Amino acid sequence: MEKEKKITNVYIDGANLKQGILGLGYDISYEKLHTWLVKRYRAEKIIIFLGYIKKNEDFYTSLKLLGYEIIFKETYFEENILKANCDAELILNAVIDYYDKKYNKAIIVSGDGDFTCLIKFLLNQGALERVIAPSIKRCSVFLKRSTTKIVYLESMLDLVTDEANVINKKAPDEDSPVPGSLS
């Protein structure tokens, strides 16, 4: 029997990734992230889900040039906070792509517990490669309970950020351990 070729797709919750890395005092390098996902996981397709904001057209163009596919959701304001709520779009696209046989392994980039149902579905299908969350502190307990296949970007910031993009980097405490790679 011929072994099925591994096809890995990555589904990124754009807001969760951005806010999670900002919360660590850094800004994400989308170029480094893309390179790492392709090298480490041999990602064939990397899809980022974002709320559409017209003034960000140049940013969207740069993402496309890096190789990202973008799926937009209309934005709205809730209590003066810009929202897009891309979760349902990400879940639906990941499930449709699975049934359309566009991948056999998926990586979900988010720490949002709303994706627990998707993680359980992918695990049951044998199709979860990995969950990648920005940080352990901001990763939902529901995701942590659903799988052990979680990698935290905070343990490998050098792979997904640039020193030029440091926003509010704090020096580690003298006694604090240096995190290693969990990938």
Side-chain angles (χ1 to χ4, degrees), residues 14-70:
N16 187 274
L17 172 66
K18 178 82 171 168
Q19 292 305 311
I21 297 299
L22 282 174
L24 295 170
Y26 291 82
D27 199 3
I28 193 82
S29 166
Y30 290 94
E31 182 175 8
K32 281 182 145 185
L33 176 64
H34 191 280
T35 299
W36 177 69
L37 289 168
V38 170
K39 279 184 174 180
R40 174 67 178 93
Y41 296 103
R42 291 183 168 65
E44 303 237 352
K45 191 177 198 183
I46 303 172
I47 308 154
I48 189 166
F49 294 78
L50 297 168
Y52 179 78
I53 303 169
K54 186 165 179 51
K55 71 179 182 178
N56 290 345
E57 280 293 333
D58 289 344
F59 170 64
Y60 305 143
T61 299
S62 70
L63 287 178
K64 289 176 186 173
L65 290 172
L66 290 171
Y68 289 90
E69 180 180 314
I70 304 172

Side-chain angles (χ1 to χ4, degrees), residues 71-84:
I71 295 181
F72 292 108
K73 176 82 177 193
E74 186 178 342
T75 56
Y76 62 96
F77 281 95
E78 185 176 289
E79 298 177 12
N80 291 329
I81 298 172
L82 186 66
K83 296 244 187 198

Side-chain angles (χ1 to χ4, degrees), residues 4-23:
E4 185 178 21
K5 180 186 179 236
K6 182 177 169 185
I7 300 169
T8 304
N9 282 2
V10 179
Y11 297 85
I12 301 173
D13 174 353
N16 187 274
L17 172 66
K18 178 82 171 168
Q19 292 305 311
I21 297 299
L22 282 174

Side-chain angles (χ1 to χ4, degrees), residues 10-183:
V10 179
Y11 297 85
I12 301 173
D13 174 353
N16 187 274
L17 172 66
K18 178 82 171 168
Q19 292 305 311
I21 297 299
L22 282 174
L24 295 170
Y26 291 82
D27 199 3
I28 193 82
S29 166
Y30 290 94
E31 182 175 8
K32 281 182 145 185
L33 176 64
H34 191 280
T35 299
W36 177 69
L37 289 168
V38 170
K39 279 184 174 180
R40 174 67 178 93
Y41 296 103
R42 291 183 168 65
E44 303 237 352
K45 191 177 198 183
I46 303 172
I47 308 154
I48 189 166
F49 294 78
L50 297 168
Y52 179 78
I53 303 169
K54 186 165 179 51
K55 71 179 182 178
N56 290 345
E57 280 293 333
D58 289 344
F59 170 64
Y60 305 143
T61 299
S62 70
L63 287 178
K64 289 176 186 173
L65 290 172
L66 290 171
Y68 289 90
E69 180 180 314
I70 304 172
I71 295 181
F72 292 108
K73 176 82 177 193
E74 186 178 342
T75 56
Y76 62 96
F77 281 95
E78 185 176 289
E79 298 177 12
N80 291 329
I81 298 172
L82 186 66
K83 296 244 187 198
N85 201 3
C86 296
D87 298 0
E89 257 53 47
L90 190 153
I91 292 168
L92 183 61
N93 276 272
V95 171
I96 288 170
D97 287 353
Y98 175 78
Y99 281 115
D100 286 346
K101 298 186 183 333
K102 292 185 179 176
Y103 68 86
N104 48 30
K105 290 293 181 180
I107 295 171
I108 308 301
V109 180
S110 181
D112 188 335
D114 290 343
F115 295 109
T116 303
C117 61
L118 176 61
I119 300 311
K120 288 179 179 179
F121 167 79
L122 294 169
L123 280 167
N124 287 336
Q125 304 305 315
L128 181 66
E129 176 70 26
R130 189 77 50 211
V131 173
I132 299 174
S135 72
I136 194 165
K137 196 174 188 180
R138 292 183 153 194
C139 185
S140 165
V141 67
F142 298 112
L143 282 180
K144 292 174 186 173
R145 287 180 188 162
S146 68
T147 184
T148 58
K149 294 182 170 204
I150 302 177
V151 170
Y152 299 101
L153 291 176
E154 71 184 327
S155 68
M156 58 188 81
L157 287 170
D158 59 317
L159 297 175
V160 296
T161 64
D162 287 323
E163 283 300 313
N165 289 338
V166 174
I167 295 170
N168 189 21
K169 184 177 177 184
K170 297 177 186 173
D173 294 337
E174 190 174 298
D175 297 324
S176 60
V178 178
S181 173
L182 299 174
S183 64

